[in-house]
Amino acid sequence: MHVHPYERAWIVLAFVMLALFGSAVAVSNLAFGIRLPGVETLVAPVGAPSEATASQPWVRELGPGRYEVNLVAQVWSYAPAEIRVPKGAQVTFYLHSRDLVHGFLLEGTNVNMMVVPGRTGKVTHTFQKAGEYKIICNEYCGTGHHFMQGRVIVYEP
Ligand code: CUA
């Protein structure tokens, strides 16, 4: 079968690009641990404390610069509404919803998860810069959706 050299070049290029993108996905997953959010953390995420339930919000310090937050979302607020941690803090959030699907978008970071009723979401973020980070609901949840926000205050230690 005759394939025009020009067409052959495009076929080769297409396969090279496929291999390149495929290996980019494999490297980001295997070497850097980048995964689609929420897939392996839907129910009872690994290492979640038994107190991480929708019944009670809390914030606690695990050790120097390490925090855990049990965050409960409901129409149309987050509890706790304000979280204060020092700059450099590594914070693990356990996310719950008491009613509908809500969002958990941490402004200025790449943290963005759905908060699904009956499931516990888990996400960890290290706050390298001081300032205020809004927690924004980015899943439509009713008439008060656009007012639904919380905040993380990162202070200079
Ligand atoms: Cu909660 Cu939108």
Side-chain angles (χ1 to χ4, degrees):
M1 188 180 73
H2 174 75
V3 179
H4 192 279
Y6 213 57
E7 194 171 0
R8 187 191 311 273
W10 282 108
I11 291 170
V12 169
L13 187 69
F15 277 100
V16 166
M17 278 164 60
L18 264 180
L20 212 69
F21 295 150
S23 36
V25 170
V27 167
S28 61
N29 189 309
L30 300 172
F32 299 106
I34 297 168
R35 294 188 173 85
L36 285 176
V39 172
E40 79 273 30
T41 55
L42 282 178
V43 183
V46 176
S50 55
E51 318 86 88
T53 66
S55 63
Q56 182 72 44
W58 46 259
V59 180
R60 66 185 178 195
E61 190 174 359
L62 296 175
R66 288 171 50 238
Y67 291 80
E68 270 183 351
V69 175
N70 198 52
L71 191 91
V72 181
Q74 60 211 335
V75 285
W76 288 284
S77 63
Y78 295 97
E82 187 179 300
I83 298 152
R84 302 181 76 89
V85 292
K87 188 174 135 183
Q90 186 194 70
V91 185
T92 297
F93 295 89
Y94 295 103
L95 310 170
H96 314 273
S97 168
R98 284 206 172 120
D99 37 50
L100 319 166
V101 171
H102 296 282
F104 179 79
L105 184 143
L106 214 45
E107 187 187 31
T109 72
N110 60 357
V111 174
N112 182 0
M113 284 185 82
M114 283 172 86
V115 188
V116 181
R119 311 280 174 100
T120 304
K122 180 186 177 186
V123 64
T124 300
H125 183 72
T126 303
F127 292 90
Q128 304 286 15
K129 285 189 197 147
E132 183 181 317
Y133 297 73
K134 279 199 180 86
I135 298 169
I136 296 164
C137 182
N138 57 349
E139 296 288 337
Y140 183 71
C141 56
T143 50
H145 161 73
H146 51 290
F147 298 119
M148 182 167 172
Q149 54 177 248
R151 54 192 187 148
V152 179
I153 309 279
V154 180
Y155 56 87
E156 294 282 352

